[in-house]
Amino acid sequence: MIKLRRLAKSFSHAFHGVVVVFRSEQNFRIQVAVAVLVLLSALWFRVRYEEWIILIFLIGAVLVLELVNSILERIVDTFKPRIHPVVKEIKDIMAAAVLIASFIALLVGVTIFYPHIVLLVETL
């Protein structure tokens, strides 16, 4: 049986986690701002249903990966000081994962929005 009080507390903890990362991680704030711009652009250009699904999925993937990156950074920092070379490599690899996901999302976004932007420019 679902206990509503426990469920509400779980959602509260999860929301607090998002707030913590939003306040402490500049990259997460930038990614959220870009996500809002992408969603507003999708509304403006009236992208197709399939394109909405792709955009939402990629936004979610990048944001979740950034959350995982933040988690991993905090974990490795508790075990070893920041100056340890293995800790630096772990952080760099995780940052690379976020970068690659963001770059792929950018390429897909450009592919989706390019025809709309060309059409807009041609009508000006």
Side-chain angles (χ1 to χ4, degrees):
M1 178 175 220
I2 295 175
K3 297 186 179 186
L4 292 179
R5 183 170 265 167
R6 183 180 286 173
L7 182 63
K9 194 164 190 145
S10 293
F11 278 108
S12 175
H13 289 304
F15 182 72
H16 179 258
V18 172
V19 170
V20 166
V21 173
F22 189 84
R23 288 181 179 164
S24 64
E25 300 293 333
Q26 176 180 326
N27 287 345
F28 190 76
R29 290 191 299 272
I30 291 169
Q31 290 158 347
V32 168
V34 170
V36 169
L37 288 174
V38 167
L39 294 174
L40 290 174
S41 297
L43 282 171
W44 175 266
F45 288 119
R46 297 182 182 155
V47 299
R48 295 188 334 253
Y49 176 75
E50 299 84 6
E51 294 169 330
W52 268 105
I53 293 170
I54 293 167
L55 292 172
I56 291 168
F57 177 78
L58 288 172
I59 288 168
V62 170
L63 293 177
V64 167
L65 203 51
E66 186 62 45
L67 290 171
V68 171
N69 181 37
S70 297
I71 293 165
L72 194 61
E73 283 185 355
R74 284 167 170 76
I75 290 171
V76 296
D77 282 346
T78 61
F79 292 115
K80 293 286 184 181
R82 290 180 185 255
I83 57 173
H84 193 280
V86 175
V87 170
K88 181 185 180 326
E89 287 179 358
I90 291 169
K91 289 180 171 187
D92 289 350
I93 292 166
M94 196 62 217
V98 176
L99 178 66
I100 290 170
S102 298
F103 184 70
I104 291 168
L106 174 68
L107 290 177
V108 172
V110 166
T111 303
I112 289 172
F113 287 112
Y114 180 78
H116 298 285
I117 293 170
V118 167
L119 188 61
L120 178 67
V121 170
E122 287 176 352
T123 60
L124 295 179

